[in-house]
Amino acid sequence: MGKIALQLKATLENVTHLRPVGEDFRWYLKMKCGNCGEISDKWQYIRLMDNVALKGGRGSASMVQKCKLCARENSIEILSSTIKSYNAEDNEKFKTIVEFECRGLEPVDFQPQAGFAAEGVESGTVFSDINLQEKAVVLKCCLVFHTQEGWDVPDGENVCWISCVQAGVIGLLAVNSMLMNQQYILNKVF
């Protein structure tokens, strides 16, 4: 059982407090079976509001799934207390926006979509239902390991790039704002 953190790096201009909205927010992920290594070929989503009982009465999780290849039952849980917003002062820095508790099911890729919100820095205007998949910006996802001493972000050759996905540039025309250059990173926490 381990934790994987999803980190975001972005450039925010005239907006702040970028965050997922509501318990029905969909985290689109590609999953890997921790037993056999099978990776899903389709995007799957998990939501905070979903609560599925684990076999044998061992609690519950956001998603419980039986592996198609090895038939092992795996699960993943969104840790609600770890959901954070990305703020203007976080510009150009990786910040953890959510953590997942993984029991055999590990996310290996993330696809941002609709359901985000942000606020204008000066006006405080709330922009809801922001879709980070509009227009084309390349994002990179990477597994980075957590040690007893803290986050270990490897350099150069040690970085294992998993994939690139499409995400968006959002023009928030009401306050002439823009959100751009988002990057996502999945950190494995042991």
Side-chain angles (χ1 to χ4, degrees), residues 9 26 32 43 80 88 130 175 181 185:
K9 179 180 177 183
R26 294 178 177 190
K32 173 181 151 184
W43 293 102
S80 61
I130 295 172
V175 291
N181 300 329
I185 194 166

Side-chain angles (χ1 to χ4, degrees), residues 28-31 39-45 63 65 68 109 111:
Y28 284 88
L29 304 166
K30 284 199 177 178
M31 303 290 190
I39 297 175
S40 60
D41 52 343
K42 294 183 180 179
W43 293 102
Q44 300 169 311
Y45 69 84
M63 174 187 275
Q65 181 176 328
K68 292 178 185 177
D109 205 349
Q111 183 181 47

Side-chain angles (χ1 to χ4, degrees), residues 82-116:
T82 66
I83 298 174
K84 308 285 186 234
S85 64
Y86 193 88
N87 302 306
E89 58 268 12
D90 302 319
N91 260 358
E92 296 299 318
K93 299 177 207 159
F94 278 107
K95 179 181 179 181
T96 298
I97 60 170
V98 67
E99 288 183 21
F100 305 100
E101 184 175 331
C102 305
R103 299 178 209 114
L105 198 57
E106 297 179 9
V108 293
D109 205 349
F110 168 66
Q111 183 181 47
Q113 294 197 9
F116 286 89

Side-chain angles (χ1 to χ4, degrees), residues 9-149:
K9 179 180 177 183
T11 301
L12 302 179
E13 293 181 11
N14 298 323
V15 292
T16 190
H17 201 51
L18 176 69
R19 65 201 178 279
V21 179
E23 288 192 359
D24 61 341
F25 178 83
R26 294 178 177 190
W27 298 93
Y28 284 88
L29 304 166
K30 284 199 177 178
M31 303 290 190
K32 173 181 151 184
C33 175
N35 187 47
C36 68
E38 175 74 8
I39 297 175
S40 60
D41 52 343
K42 294 183 180 179
W43 293 102
Q44 300 169 311
Y45 69 84
I46 58 175
R47 301 180 301 176
L48 196 56
M49 67 186 289
D50 294 334
N51 193 9
V52 182
L54 296 173
K55 198 176 196 178
R58 300 173 297 159
S60 63
S62 301
M63 174 187 275
V64 177
Q65 181 176 328
K66 195 172 199 176
C67 178
K68 292 178 185 177
L69 191 62
C70 70
R72 180 178 172 185
E73 185 176 275
N74 300 309
S75 65
I76 186 169
E77 175 76 19
I78 301 169
L79 300 174
S80 61
S81 63
T82 66
I83 298 174
K84 308 285 186 234
S85 64
Y86 193 88
N87 302 306
E89 58 268 12
D90 302 319
N91 260 358
E92 296 299 318
K93 299 177 207 159
F94 278 107
K95 179 181 179 181
T96 298
I97 60 170
V98 67
E99 288 183 21
F100 305 100
E101 184 175 331
C102 305
R103 299 178 209 114
L105 198 57
E106 297 179 9
V108 293
D109 205 349
F110 168 66
Q111 183 181 47
Q113 294 197 9
F116 286 89
E119 297 173 10
V121 172
E122 293 177 13
S123 67
T125 304
V126 176
F127 300 93
S128 58
D129 205 23
I130 295 172
N131 187 345
L132 293 181
Q133 200 173 26
E134 293 175 358
K135 301 185 183 175
V137 172
V138 175
L139 305 180
K140 296 178 180 177
C141 294
C142 175
L143 281 178
V144 179
F145 299 96
H146 187 270
T147 65
Q148 297 293 352
E149 292 79 38

